[in-house]
Short mmCIF file of all heavy atoms in Angstrom, two decimals:
data_model
loop_
_atom_site.label_atom_id
_atom_site.label_comp_id
_atom_site.label_asym_id
_atom_site.label_seq_id
_atom_site.Cartn_x
_atom_site.Cartn_y
_atom_site.Cartn_z
N MET L 255 72.23 152.01 136.20
CA MET L 255 73.60 152.17 136.12
C MET L 255 74.04 152.75 134.73
O MET L 255 74.99 153.53 134.64
CB MET L 255 74.33 150.91 136.40
CG MET L 255 74.23 150.35 137.80
SD MET L 255 74.84 151.59 139.01
CE MET L 255 76.50 151.65 138.66
N THR L 256 73.27 152.39 133.73
CA THR L 256 73.53 152.92 132.36
C THR L 256 73.35 154.40 132.34
O THR L 256 74.14 155.25 131.78
CB THR L 256 72.65 152.25 131.28
OG1 THR L 256 73.04 150.87 131.26
CG2 THR L 256 72.89 152.81 129.94
N LEU L 257 72.18 154.82 132.99
CA LEU L 257 71.88 156.34 133.07
C LEU L 257 72.88 157.00 133.83
O LEU L 257 73.33 158.12 133.51
CB LEU L 257 70.47 156.47 133.59
CG LEU L 257 69.28 156.10 132.64
CD1 LEU L 257 68.00 156.21 133.35
CD2 LEU L 257 69.30 156.84 131.34
N LEU L 258 73.30 156.38 134.97
CA LEU L 258 74.22 157.04 135.92
C LEU L 258 75.67 157.17 135.33
O LEU L 258 76.20 158.18 135.24
CB LEU L 258 74.27 156.28 137.23
CG LEU L 258 75.20 156.90 138.31
CD1 LEU L 258 74.72 158.28 138.73
CD2 LEU L 258 75.21 155.94 139.49
N THR L 259 76.15 155.99 134.91
CA THR L 259 77.55 156.00 134.44
C THR L 259 77.81 156.24 132.88
O THR L 259 78.83 156.70 132.51
CB THR L 259 78.22 154.63 134.69
OG1 THR L 259 77.50 153.62 134.03
CG2 THR L 259 78.18 154.31 136.25
N GLY L 260 76.67 156.09 132.13
CA GLY L 260 76.76 156.33 130.76
C GLY L 260 76.28 157.68 130.34
O GLY L 260 76.61 158.17 129.16
N LEU L 261 75.51 158.31 131.20
CA LEU L 261 74.92 159.63 130.76
C LEU L 261 75.21 160.70 131.76
O LEU L 261 75.91 161.76 131.49
CB LEU L 261 73.50 159.56 130.57
CG LEU L 261 72.67 160.71 129.99
CD1 LEU L 261 73.24 161.03 128.60
CD2 LEU L 261 71.18 160.43 130.00
N ALA L 262 74.77 160.51 132.97
CA ALA L 262 74.85 161.52 134.01
C ALA L 262 76.35 161.90 134.37
O ALA L 262 76.75 163.06 134.35
CB ALA L 262 74.11 161.07 135.32
N TYR L 263 77.17 160.83 134.61
CA TYR L 263 78.56 161.04 134.96
C TYR L 263 79.36 161.77 133.87
O TYR L 263 80.11 162.78 134.14
CB TYR L 263 79.25 159.76 135.40
CG TYR L 263 80.74 159.93 135.76
CD1 TYR L 263 81.05 160.35 137.03
CD2 TYR L 263 81.63 159.50 134.85
CE1 TYR L 263 82.41 160.59 137.37
CE2 TYR L 263 83.02 159.65 135.16
CZ TYR L 263 83.32 160.16 136.44
OH TYR L 263 84.71 160.41 136.76
N PRO L 264 79.24 161.29 132.62
CA PRO L 264 79.98 161.93 131.59
C PRO L 264 79.64 163.40 131.36
O PRO L 264 80.39 164.27 131.14
CB PRO L 264 79.74 161.07 130.23
CG PRO L 264 79.42 159.78 130.85
CD PRO L 264 78.67 160.00 132.09
N LEU L 265 78.24 163.64 131.43
CA LEU L 265 77.73 164.96 131.32
C LEU L 265 78.29 165.95 132.39
O LEU L 265 78.72 167.01 132.17
CB LEU L 265 76.20 164.96 131.18
CG LEU L 265 75.59 164.52 129.92
CD1 LEU L 265 74.08 164.43 130.00
CD2 LEU L 265 76.02 165.38 128.69
N ALA L 266 78.27 165.34 133.63
CA ALA L 266 78.77 166.17 134.83
C ALA L 266 80.19 166.43 134.64
O ALA L 266 80.65 167.64 134.87
CB ALA L 266 78.48 165.36 136.14
N MET L 267 81.03 165.49 134.22
CA MET L 267 82.48 165.75 134.08
C MET L 267 82.75 166.71 132.98
O MET L 267 83.69 167.52 133.05
CB MET L 267 83.19 164.37 133.86
CG MET L 267 83.25 163.46 134.99
SD MET L 267 84.10 164.10 136.43
CE MET L 267 82.74 164.67 137.44
N THR L 268 81.95 166.58 131.85
CA THR L 268 82.23 167.50 130.74
C THR L 268 81.81 168.90 131.19
O THR L 268 82.50 169.90 130.92
CB THR L 268 81.32 167.09 129.58
OG1 THR L 268 81.63 165.72 129.20
CG2 THR L 268 81.42 168.05 128.34
N GLY L 269 80.77 169.08 131.92
CA GLY L 269 80.28 170.33 132.50
C GLY L 269 81.32 171.03 133.34
O GLY L 269 81.67 172.19 133.18
N ILE L 270 81.85 170.19 134.32
CA ILE L 270 82.71 170.65 135.25
C ILE L 270 84.05 171.08 134.54
O ILE L 270 84.67 172.12 134.74
CB ILE L 270 83.10 169.57 136.31
CG1 ILE L 270 81.89 169.42 137.22
CG2 ILE L 270 84.41 170.03 137.18
CD1 ILE L 270 82.03 168.27 138.14
N ALA L 271 84.49 170.22 133.56
CA ALA L 271 85.70 170.58 132.77
C ALA L 271 85.58 171.94 132.02
O ALA L 271 86.49 172.69 131.95
CB ALA L 271 86.06 169.33 131.83
N GLN L 272 84.40 172.09 131.40
CA GLN L 272 84.18 173.29 130.62
C GLN L 272 84.19 174.56 131.55
O GLN L 272 84.66 175.70 131.08
CB GLN L 272 82.79 173.21 129.90
CG GLN L 272 82.81 172.28 128.77
CD GLN L 272 83.61 172.71 127.62
OE1 GLN L 272 84.00 173.90 127.42
NE2 GLN L 272 84.07 171.88 126.77
N LEU L 273 83.75 174.39 132.76
CA LEU L 273 83.72 175.49 133.73
C LEU L 273 85.08 175.82 134.37
O LEU L 273 85.51 176.93 134.47
CB LEU L 273 82.69 175.17 134.82
CG LEU L 273 81.19 175.30 134.47
CD1 LEU L 273 80.35 174.77 135.68
CD2 LEU L 273 80.83 176.68 134.09
N VAL L 274 85.74 174.70 134.73
CA VAL L 274 87.01 174.84 135.48
C VAL L 274 88.27 175.01 134.50
O VAL L 274 89.12 175.76 134.78
CB VAL L 274 87.25 173.80 136.43
CG1 VAL L 274 88.46 173.91 137.30
CG2 VAL L 274 86.02 173.58 137.48
N ALA L 279 89.86 171.48 128.21
CA ALA L 279 88.72 170.66 127.85
C ALA L 279 88.41 170.72 126.28
O ALA L 279 87.87 169.76 125.77
CB ALA L 279 87.47 171.06 128.66
#
Side-chain angles (χ1 to χ4, degrees):
M255 293 304 293
T256 298
L257 292 174
L258 179 64
T259 62
L261 187 63
Y263 179 77
L265 285 176
M267 291 299 101
T268 300
I270 292 171
Q272 289 291 341
L273 288 173
V274 182

